[in-house]
Each structure stands twice: as C-alpha cells, then as structure tokens.
Amino acid sequence: MTSPSPYIRLAWLLCAAWLLVGCASTQGPRDPADPWEGYNRAMFQFNEAVDKAVLKPVAQGYVKVTPRPVRTGIGNFFANLGDVTNLFNNLLQLKFEPALNDFGRITFNSTIGLLGILDVASHMDLPKSNEDFGQTLGHWGVPSGPYLVLPLLGPSTLRDAPSLYVDARTNPLYYHEPEGRRNILAGVYVIDTRAGFLSIEQAMDGIATDRYTAIRDFYLQRREFLVHNGEPPGRDTGADLFDELEALEALEAEEARQRQEGQ
C-alpha cells in the first residue's frame, strides 16, 4: 500500500518506469549503484514537485487539525494491516519465531485493540516486525540491482520495485470492498504516512548537502540494514552514514513512542 490507489495503477507505473529508464541519460554513472542517475534525478525532481504542491501541504494540514491521539489510532490501524505482510514475509524467510510474534500482534490488536486502533501487542512484549517481499528476495540472495526512482512511489531498486505489488497483495486493504471506500482508506494511509516523515525530513535536511544523494544513500543503506537484520556487511566502510541512519531510526522510534503516550 503505497499510494491512493496502488493496487490498480502499480503495474502501469512500473511499466512507465522501465520505459523512462530506456530514455535515461547515457552519461557515465557517478555511483555504481546508480547507473540511471540521469533518469532518477529527473524523476526525483518530478516527485519532489508533486510532494511540495500536494502531499506535504496536506500532511502538514492533517497534523495541524488532527489531534495526536486520533493520528496515533489511525497509524496503529494501518500498522496492524501491515503486520499481515510482515507475517507473510517472515514465513517465506523461515523466521518462525518472528512470524509467531506477528500472528500474536494481529490477533491481540485486531480483537482487544479494536481492529488495531490500540496497539496493545506492543505492551505485551510483542514488538513490531519490519519485513517486505524485497527483503525476502534479499534474504535468499537476490541482489538489489540498480537504484531506481519510481513515479510518485519514490526510491526503490530493480529488486524492490516489483516487490511492491506482492506486498500490496498481502495487505488486507487490497481486498476491502467497495472499491471507493478502499481508495479513501488508501488515501488516508498515504497522508498519515507522509505526515510521519515530516520530522525525519527535517533531520535529513540538516545533514544533507545534496538532497537527492542523501535520500538515495539513506535508502540503499537502510535496505541493506533491513535485509541483513541490522548487521550489513562492510559496516566499517560506511560508519558515518550508518550513524546518521541510526540517528534517524532513533528519531522515528521517538515519534512512535510519543504517539503511544498520546493515546
């Protein structure tokens, strides 16, 4: 679930991305992980323009008019749906203990937690996982491939981009009817998710001289961090960026803690 109606349009967006890649600049790559930098920078600027004109102002307005406890409940509701995807991918990775943890979270949050509005599972020592199909492929040795910025969907890689469709199909919202209500819920998810990045965005701006490069490097190293369960190979060669990554992860965790306290 990554845009107001990803389940219908995602395949079209990916096809458009592949076509645009074929038209990308043929200049020599500046980074081996980003051979399509000409296209990626152009798409990054397009996405930034859309975000600046639409998503960011809406997210800021959402934060301004929506009380924190309400935002917390909304975020918890969508996080509970996402636990189904976590469960699916932990099973595919043969991580049975985390999968059992995910099942417990879904069970308790969907019942005692009123369809996930209350995150009671976290208070029962059932921590939330963070798994997706791209990580599953990486777990089984599929390389990430080149960095790729998707239209509207943002940073990805050649491995992770098609995985978005699989993750969308494992989210219960994909099957919610009627379609109009599903699209409204997906739109709320996008706004709530964008609002959650506002504070992280400020921190990123404070450490970045080139926003495109900072987001690319953060995304790629974070994906390696997740695929290797927090122990990516070659950490010593990128300690500075990982320190920044961990600082941003800590900031995100603090935001989540504050949302919990606002319940």
Side-chain angles (χ1 to χ4, degrees), residues 186-217:
V188 173
Y189 169 78
V190 170
I191 296 170
D192 182 74
T193 300
R194 181 62 182 90
F197 285 123
L198 292 174
S199 58
I200 296 177
E201 181 182 31
Q202 292 174 355
M204 178 70 76
D205 289 341
I207 63 175
T209 55
D210 180 348
R211 184 176 172 84
Y212 168 82
T213 301
I215 291 176
R216 178 194 66 196
D217 293 346

PDB file of all heavy atoms in Angstrom, residues 186-217:
ATOM      1  N   ALA A 186      -6.974   4.083   1.505  1.00  0.00           N
ATOM      2  CA  ALA A 186      -5.607   4.144   0.990  1.00  0.00           C
ATOM      3  C   ALA A 186      -5.106   5.574   0.958  1.00  0.00           C
ATOM      4  O   ALA A 186      -3.933   5.847   1.244  1.00  0.00           O
ATOM      5  CB  ALA A 186      -5.542   3.518  -0.408  1.00  0.00           C
ATOM      6  N   GLY A 187      -5.976   6.520   0.612  1.00  0.00           N
ATOM      7  CA  GLY A 187      -5.594   7.925   0.623  1.00  0.00           C
ATOM      8  C   GLY A 187      -5.246   8.410   2.016  1.00  0.00           C
ATOM      9  O   GLY A 187      -4.270   9.144   2.209  1.00  0.00           O
ATOM     10  N   VAL A 188      -6.044   7.993   2.998  1.00  0.00           N
ATOM     11  CA  VAL A 188      -5.742   8.358   4.386  1.00  0.00           C
ATOM     12  C   VAL A 188      -4.404   7.768   4.803  1.00  0.00           C
ATOM     13  O   VAL A 188      -3.608   8.426   5.492  1.00  0.00           O
ATOM     14  CB  VAL A 188      -6.870   7.874   5.327  1.00  0.00           C
ATOM     15  CG1 VAL A 188      -6.489   8.097   6.793  1.00  0.00           C
ATOM     16  CG2 VAL A 188      -8.173   8.585   5.004  1.00  0.00           C
ATOM     17  N   TYR A 189      -4.137   6.549   4.372  1.00  0.00           N
ATOM     18  CA  TYR A 189      -2.854   5.914   4.688  1.00  0.00           C
ATOM     19  C   TYR A 189      -1.690   6.731   4.130  1.00  0.00           C
ATOM     20  O   TYR A 189      -0.678   6.947   4.817  1.00  0.00           O
ATOM     21  CB  TYR A 189      -2.819   4.495   4.116  1.00  0.00           C
ATOM     22  CG  TYR A 189      -1.446   3.872   4.161  1.00  0.00           C
ATOM     23  CD1 TYR A 189      -0.951   3.350   5.350  1.00  0.00           C
ATOM     24  CD2 TYR A 189      -0.646   3.831   3.028  1.00  0.00           C
ATOM     25  CE1 TYR A 189       0.318   2.791   5.397  1.00  0.00           C
ATOM     26  CE2 TYR A 189       0.627   3.281   3.069  1.00  0.00           C
ATOM     27  CZ  TYR A 189       1.102   2.763   4.252  1.00  0.00           C
ATOM     28  OH  TYR A 189       2.367   2.224   4.292  1.00  0.00           O
ATOM     29  N   VAL A 190      -1.814   7.172   2.887  1.00  0.00           N
ATOM     30  CA  VAL A 190      -0.741   7.951   2.268  1.00  0.00           C
ATOM     31  C   VAL A 190      -0.501   9.233   3.049  1.00  0.00           C
ATOM     32  O   VAL A 190       0.647   9.609   3.336  1.00  0.00           O
ATOM     33  CB  VAL A 190      -1.080   8.254   0.797  1.00  0.00           C
ATOM     34  CG1 VAL A 190      -0.091   9.266   0.217  1.00  0.00           C
ATOM     35  CG2 VAL A 190      -1.057   6.977  -0.027  1.00  0.00           C
ATOM     36  N   ILE A 191      -1.558   9.922   3.415  1.00  0.00           N
ATOM     37  CA  ILE A 191      -1.421  11.187   4.151  1.00  0.00           C
ATOM     38  C   ILE A 191      -0.798  10.940   5.524  1.00  0.00           C
ATOM     39  O   ILE A 191       0.104  11.667   5.958  1.00  0.00           O
ATOM     40  CB  ILE A 191      -2.787  11.873   4.281  1.00  0.00           C
ATOM     41  CG1 ILE A 191      -3.306  12.267   2.893  1.00  0.00           C
ATOM     42  CG2 ILE A 191      -2.689  13.110   5.182  1.00  0.00           C
ATOM     43  CD1 ILE A 191      -4.753  12.724   2.903  1.00  0.00           C
ATOM     44  N   ASP A 192      -1.289   9.915   6.210  1.00  0.00           N
ATOM     45  CA  ASP A 192      -0.756   9.611   7.541  1.00  0.00           C
ATOM     46  C   ASP A 192       0.715   9.213   7.459  1.00  0.00           C
ATOM     47  O   ASP A 192       1.528   9.627   8.304  1.00  0.00           O
ATOM     48  CB  ASP A 192      -1.572   8.484   8.172  1.00  0.00           C
ATOM     49  CG  ASP A 192      -1.116   8.154   9.576  1.00  0.00           C
ATOM     50  OD1 ASP A 192      -1.396   8.952  10.485  1.00  0.00           O
ATOM     51  OD2 ASP A 192      -0.484   7.102   9.768  1.00  0.00           O
ATOM     52  N   THR A 193       1.075   8.432   6.448  1.00  0.00           N
ATOM     53  CA  THR A 193       2.465   8.033   6.269  1.00  0.00           C
ATOM     54  C   THR A 193       3.341   9.236   5.961  1.00  0.00           C
ATOM     55  O   THR A 193       4.431   9.393   6.523  1.00  0.00           O
ATOM     56  CB  THR A 193       2.593   6.998   5.140  1.00  0.00           C
ATOM     57  OG1 THR A 193       1.809   5.844   5.465  1.00  0.00           O
ATOM     58  CG2 THR A 193       4.039   6.579   4.944  1.00  0.00           C
ATOM     59  N   ARG A 194       2.861  10.114   5.075  1.00  0.00           N
ATOM     60  CA  ARG A 194       3.650  11.322   4.733  1.00  0.00           C
ATOM     61  C   ARG A 194       3.828  12.213   5.949  1.00  0.00           C
ATOM     62  O   ARG A 194       4.910  12.793   6.160  1.00  0.00           O
ATOM     63  CB  ARG A 194       2.944  12.099   3.606  1.00  0.00           C
ATOM     64  CG  ARG A 194       3.717  13.355   3.162  1.00  0.00           C
ATOM     65  CD  ARG A 194       5.066  12.993   2.609  1.00  0.00           C
ATOM     66  NE  ARG A 194       5.848  14.156   2.211  1.00  0.00           N
ATOM     67  CZ  ARG A 194       6.679  14.801   3.030  1.00  0.00           C
ATOM     68  NH1 ARG A 194       6.805  14.401   4.291  1.00  0.00           N
ATOM     69  NH2 ARG A 194       7.385  15.828   2.585  1.00  0.00           N
ATOM     70  N   ALA A 195       2.805  12.301   6.783  1.00  0.00           N
ATOM     71  CA  ALA A 195       2.917  13.105   7.998  1.00  0.00           C
ATOM     72  C   ALA A 195       3.988  12.542   8.923  1.00  0.00           C
ATOM     73  O   ALA A 195       4.701  13.297   9.596  1.00  0.00           O
ATOM     74  CB  ALA A 195       1.567  13.161   8.712  1.00  0.00           C
ATOM     75  N   GLY A 196       4.117  11.219   8.951  1.00  0.00           N
ATOM     76  CA  GLY A 196       5.113  10.604   9.806  1.00  0.00           C
ATOM     77  C   GLY A 196       6.539  10.896   9.390  1.00  0.00           C
ATOM     78  O   GLY A 196       7.469  10.763  10.199  1.00  0.00           O
ATOM     79  N   PHE A 197       6.745  11.306   8.128  1.00  0.00           N
ATOM     80  CA  PHE A 197       8.089  11.594   7.639  1.00  0.00           C
ATOM     81  C   PHE A 197       8.490  13.057   7.829  1.00  0.00           C
ATOM     82  O   PHE A 197       9.627  13.419   7.512  1.00  0.00           O
ATOM     83  CB  PHE A 197       8.200  11.239   6.148  1.00  0.00           C
ATOM     84  CG  PHE A 197       8.287   9.765   5.890  1.00  0.00           C
ATOM     85  CD1 PHE A 197       7.364   9.135   5.075  1.00  0.00           C
ATOM     86  CD2 PHE A 197       9.299   9.004   6.455  1.00  0.00           C
ATOM     87  CE1 PHE A 197       7.441   7.774   4.838  1.00  0.00           C
ATOM     88  CE2 PHE A 197       9.390   7.642   6.217  1.00  0.00           C
ATOM     89  CZ  PHE A 197       8.456   7.023   5.400  1.00  0.00           C
ATOM     90  N   LEU A 198       7.593  13.899   8.319  1.00  0.00           N
ATOM     91  CA  LEU A 198       7.894  15.325   8.411  1.00  0.00           C
ATOM     92  C   LEU A 198       9.099  15.597   9.310  1.00  0.00           C
ATOM     93  O   LEU A 198       9.990  16.366   8.948  1.00  0.00           O
ATOM     94  CB  LEU A 198       6.670  16.090   8.911  1.00  0.00           C
ATOM     95  CG  LEU A 198       5.478  16.147   7.938  1.00  0.00           C
ATOM     96  CD1 LEU A 198       4.280  16.801   8.606  1.00  0.00           C
ATOM     97  CD2 LEU A 198       5.859  16.901   6.663  1.00  0.00           C
ATOM     98  N   SER A 199       9.136  14.965  10.475  1.00  0.00           N
ATOM     99  CA  SER A 199      10.250  15.200  11.395  1.00  0.00           C
ATOM    100  C   SER A 199      11.543  14.593  10.866  1.00  0.00           C
ATOM    101  O   SER A 199      12.619  15.190  10.997  1.00  0.00           O
ATOM    102  CB  SER A 199       9.921  14.640  12.778  1.00  0.00           C
ATOM    103  OG  SER A 199       9.641  13.258  12.707  1.00  0.00           O
ATOM    104  N   ILE A 200      11.457  13.401  10.256  1.00  0.00           N
ATOM    105  CA  ILE A 200      12.645  12.764   9.692  1.00  0.00           C
ATOM    106  C   ILE A 200      13.183  13.599   8.543  1.00  0.00           C
ATOM    107  O   ILE A 200      14.397  13.734   8.365  1.00  0.00           O
ATOM    108  CB  ILE A 200      12.315  11.336   9.229  1.00  0.00           C
ATOM    109  CG1 ILE A 200      11.909  10.476  10.422  1.00  0.00           C
ATOM    110  CG2 ILE A 200      13.497  10.707   8.502  1.00  0.00           C
ATOM    111  CD1 ILE A 200      11.488   9.080  10.069  1.00  0.00           C
ATOM    112  N   GLU A 201      12.291  14.182   7.763  1.00  0.00           N
ATOM    113  CA  GLU A 201      12.695  15.033   6.660  1.00  0.00           C
ATOM    114  C   GLU A 201      13.500  16.221   7.151  1.00  0.00           C
ATOM    115  O   GLU A 201      14.502  16.617   6.550  1.00  0.00           O
ATOM    116  CB  GLU A 201      11.448  15.508   5.909  1.00  0.00           C
ATOM    117  CG  GLU A 201      11.730  16.397   4.717  1.00  0.00           C
ATOM    118  CD  GLU A 201      10.446  16.859   4.048  1.00  0.00           C
ATOM    119  OE1 GLU A 201       9.435  17.016   4.761  1.00  0.00           O
ATOM    120  OE2 GLU A 201      10.465  17.064   2.838  1.00  0.00           O
ATOM    121  N   GLN A 202      13.089  16.807   8.262  1.00  0.00           N
ATOM    122  CA  GLN A 202      13.822  17.936   8.829  1.00  0.00           C
ATOM    123  C   GLN A 202      15.224  17.521   9.241  1.00  0.00           C
ATOM    124  O   GLN A 202      16.197  18.246   9.015  1.00  0.00           O
ATOM    125  CB  GLN A 202      13.057  18.496  10.027  1.00  0.00           C
ATOM    126  CG  GLN A 202      11.742  19.156   9.654  1.00  0.00           C
ATOM    127  CD  GLN A 202      10.941  19.583  10.892  1.00  0.00           C
ATOM    128  OE1 GLN A 202      11.334  19.296  12.021  1.00  0.00           O
ATOM    129  NE2 GLN A 202       9.833  20.251  10.666  1.00  0.00           N
ATOM    130  N   ALA A 203      15.344  16.331   9.844  1.00  0.00           N
ATOM    131  CA  ALA A 203      16.660  15.847  10.244  1.00  0.00           C
ATOM    132  C   ALA A 203      17.536  15.585   9.023  1.00  0.00           C
ATOM    133  O   ALA A 203      18.730  15.890   9.018  1.00  0.00           O
ATOM    134  CB  ALA A 203      16.517  14.583  11.072  1.00  0.00           C
ATOM    135  N   MET A 204      16.946  15.016   7.961  1.00  0.00           N
ATOM    136  CA  MET A 204      17.687  14.747   6.738  1.00  0.00           C
ATOM    137  C   MET A 204      18.197  16.046   6.122  1.00  0.00           C
ATOM    138  O   MET A 204      19.339  16.132   5.670  1.00  0.00           O
ATOM    139  CB  MET A 204      16.792  14.002   5.744  1.00  0.00           C
ATOM    140  CG  MET A 204      17.448  13.709   4.400  1.00  0.00           C
ATOM    141  SD  MET A 204      18.744  12.466   4.514  1.00  0.00           S
ATOM    142  CE  MET A 204      17.766  10.971   4.644  1.00  0.00           C
ATOM    143  N   ASP A 205      17.367  17.081   6.106  1.00  0.00           N
ATOM    144  CA  ASP A 205      17.774  18.365   5.544  1.00  0.00           C
ATOM    145  C   ASP A 205      18.953  18.946   6.310  1.00  0.00           C
ATOM    146  O   ASP A 205      19.796  19.644   5.753  1.00  0.00           O
ATOM    147  CB  ASP A 205      16.604  19.343   5.567  1.00  0.00           C
ATOM    148  CG  ASP A 205      15.519  18.978   4.555  1.00  0.00           C
ATOM    149  OD1 ASP A 205      15.827  18.216   3.626  1.00  0.00           O
ATOM    150  OD2 ASP A 205      14.373  19.450   4.710  1.00  0.00           O
ATOM    151  N   GLY A 206      19.003  18.639   7.613  1.00  0.00           N
ATOM    152  CA  GLY A 206      20.071  19.195   8.428  1.00  0.00           C
ATOM    153  C   GLY A 206      21.428  18.569   8.171  1.00  0.00           C
ATOM    154  O   GLY A 206      22.458  19.182   8.476  1.00  0.00           O
ATOM    155  N   ILE A 207      21.464  17.339   7.607  1.00  0.00           N
ATOM    156  CA  ILE A 207      22.745  16.662   7.399  1.00  0.00           C
ATOM    157  C   ILE A 207      23.102  16.538   5.919  1.00  0.00           C
ATOM    158  O   ILE A 207      24.189  16.064   5.599  1.00  0.00           O
ATOM    159  CB  ILE A 207      22.721  15.253   8.017  1.00  0.00           C
ATOM    160  CG1 ILE A 207      21.684  14.368   7.333  1.00  0.00           C
ATOM    161  CG2 ILE A 207      22.471  15.319   9.516  1.00  0.00           C
ATOM    162  CD1 ILE A 207      21.701  12.925   7.810  1.00  0.00           C
ATOM    163  N   ALA A 208      22.219  16.960   5.035  1.00  0.00           N
ATOM    164  CA  ALA A 208      22.420  16.715   3.609  1.00  0.00           C
ATOM    165  C   ALA A 208      22.819  17.977   2.875  1.00  0.00           C
ATOM    166  O   ALA A 208      22.265  19.046   3.101  1.00  0.00           O
ATOM    167  CB  ALA A 208      21.144  16.146   2.992  1.00  0.00           C
ATOM    168  N   THR A 209      23.808  17.856   1.977  1.00  0.00           N
ATOM    169  CA  THR A 209      24.144  18.949   1.081  1.00  0.00           C
ATOM    170  C   THR A 209      23.480  18.745  -0.279  1.00  0.00           C
ATOM    171  O   THR A 209      23.178  19.710  -0.967  1.00  0.00           O
ATOM    172  CB  THR A 209      25.665  19.046   0.906  1.00  0.00           C
ATOM    173  OG1 THR A 209      26.181  17.785   0.457  1.00  0.00           O
ATOM    174  CG2 THR A 209      26.333  19.399   2.237  1.00  0.00           C
ATOM    175  N   ASP A 210      23.300  17.522  -0.684  1.00  0.00           N
ATOM    176  CA  ASP A 210      22.595  17.166  -1.916  1.00  0.00           C
ATOM    177  C   ASP A 210      21.435  16.257  -1.521  1.00  0.00           C
ATOM    178  O   ASP A 210      21.645  15.088  -1.166  1.00  0.00           O
ATOM    179  CB  ASP A 210      23.552  16.454  -2.872  1.00  0.00           C
ATOM    180  CG  ASP A 210      22.887  16.049  -4.189  1.00  0.00           C
ATOM    181  OD1 ASP A 210      21.638  16.109  -4.283  1.00  0.00           O
ATOM    182  OD2 ASP A 210      23.611  15.669  -5.120  1.00  0.00           O
ATOM    183  N   ARG A 211      20.225  16.773  -1.586  1.00  0.00           N
ATOM    184  CA  ARG A 211      19.063  16.024  -1.102  1.00  0.00           C
ATOM    185  C   ARG A 211      18.881  14.711  -1.856  1.00  0.00           C
ATOM    186  O   ARG A 211      18.588  13.677  -1.248  1.00  0.00           O
ATOM    187  CB  ARG A 211      17.816  16.900  -1.240  1.00  0.00           C
ATOM    188  CG  ARG A 211      16.542  16.271  -0.684  1.00  0.00           C
ATOM    189  CD  ARG A 211      15.388  17.272  -0.777  1.00  0.00           C
ATOM    190  NE  ARG A 211      14.118  16.660  -0.436  1.00  0.00           N
ATOM    191  CZ  ARG A 211      13.677  16.515   0.805  1.00  0.00           C
ATOM    192  NH1 ARG A 211      14.404  16.926   1.820  1.00  0.00           N
ATOM    193  NH2 ARG A 211      12.502  15.945   1.046  1.00  0.00           N
ATOM    194  N   TYR A 212      19.078  14.720  -3.161  1.00  0.00           N
ATOM    195  CA  TYR A 212      18.931  13.503  -3.952  1.00  0.00           C
ATOM    196  C   TYR A 212      19.911  12.435  -3.474  1.00  0.00           C
ATOM    197  O   TYR A 212      19.530  11.280  -3.215  1.00  0.00           O
ATOM    198  CB  TYR A 212      19.157  13.791  -5.436  1.00  0.00           C
ATOM    199  CG  TYR A 212      19.295  12.533  -6.271  1.00  0.00           C
ATOM    200  CD1 TYR A 212      18.180  11.845  -6.711  1.00  0.00           C
ATOM    201  CD2 TYR A 212      20.564  12.029  -6.592  1.00  0.00           C
ATOM    202  CE1 TYR A 212      18.301  10.676  -7.466  1.00  0.00           C
ATOM    203  CE2 TYR A 212      20.698  10.867  -7.333  1.00  0.00           C
ATOM    204  CZ  TYR A 212      19.565  10.195  -7.772  1.00  0.00           C
ATOM    205  OH  TYR A 212      19.696   9.039  -8.502  1.00  0.00           O
ATOM    206  N   THR A 213      21.186  12.796  -3.353  1.00  0.00           N
ATOM    207  CA  THR A 213      22.209  11.839  -2.941  1.00  0.00           C
ATOM    208  C   THR A 213      21.956  11.337  -1.531  1.00  0.00           C
ATOM    209  O   THR A 213      22.115  10.141  -1.242  1.00  0.00           O
ATOM    210  CB  THR A 213      23.602  12.479  -3.031  1.00  0.00           C
ATOM    211  OG1 THR A 213      23.843  12.897  -4.377  1.00  0.00           O
ATOM    212  CG2 THR A 213      24.683  11.502  -2.611  1.00  0.00           C
ATOM    213  N   ALA A 214      21.551  12.237  -0.637  1.00  0.00           N
ATOM    214  CA  ALA A 214      21.303  11.844   0.750  1.00  0.00           C
ATOM    215  C   ALA A 214      20.180  10.826   0.838  1.00  0.00           C
ATOM    216  O   ALA A 214      20.295   9.815   1.542  1.00  0.00           O
ATOM    217  CB  ALA A 214      20.984  13.073   1.595  1.00  0.00           C
ATOM    218  N   ILE A 215      19.091  11.070   0.120  1.00  0.00           N
ATOM    219  CA  ILE A 215      17.960  10.143   0.153  1.00  0.00           C
ATOM    220  C   ILE A 215      18.330   8.829  -0.499  1.00  0.00           C
ATOM    221  O   ILE A 215      17.990   7.750   0.005  1.00  0.00           O
ATOM    222  CB  ILE A 215      16.734  10.776  -0.523  1.00  0.00           C
ATOM    223  CG1 ILE A 215      16.215  11.940   0.333  1.00  0.00           C
ATOM    224  CG2 ILE A 215      15.639   9.745  -0.758  1.00  0.00           C
ATOM    225  CD1 ILE A 215      15.061  12.692  -0.284  1.00  0.00           C
ATOM    226  N   ARG A 216      19.064   8.877  -1.610  1.00  0.00           N
ATOM    227  CA  ARG A 216      19.495   7.637  -2.276  1.00  0.00           C
ATOM    228  C   ARG A 216      20.364   6.801  -1.346  1.00  0.00           C
ATOM    229  O   ARG A 216      20.114   5.596  -1.153  1.00  0.00           O
ATOM    230  CB  ARG A 216      20.279   7.973  -3.544  1.00  0.00           C
ATOM    231  CG  ARG A 216      20.815   6.750  -4.284  1.00  0.00           C
ATOM    232  CD  ARG A 216      21.855   7.139  -5.308  1.00  0.00           C
ATOM    233  NE  ARG A 216      23.043   7.682  -4.667  1.00  0.00           N
ATOM    234  CZ  ARG A 216      23.986   8.380  -5.305  1.00  0.00           C
ATOM    235  NH1 ARG A 216      23.873   8.619  -6.602  1.00  0.00           N
ATOM    236  NH2 ARG A 216      25.038   8.828  -4.651  1.00  0.00           N
ATOM    237  N   ASP A 217      21.388   7.421  -0.755  1.00  0.00           N
ATOM    238  CA  ASP A 217      22.299   6.671   0.104  1.00  0.00           C
ATOM    239  C   ASP A 217      21.586   6.150   1.349  1.00  0.00           C
ATOM    240  O   ASP A 217      21.834   5.022   1.793  1.00  0.00           O
ATOM    241  CB  ASP A 217      23.487   7.547   0.504  1.00  0.00           C
ATOM    242  CG  ASP A 217      24.376   7.888  -0.690  1.00  0.00           C
ATOM    243  OD1 ASP A 217      24.221   7.240  -1.747  1.00  0.00           O
ATOM    244  OD2 ASP A 217      25.214   8.798  -0.561  1.00  0.00           O
TER     245      ASP A 217
END
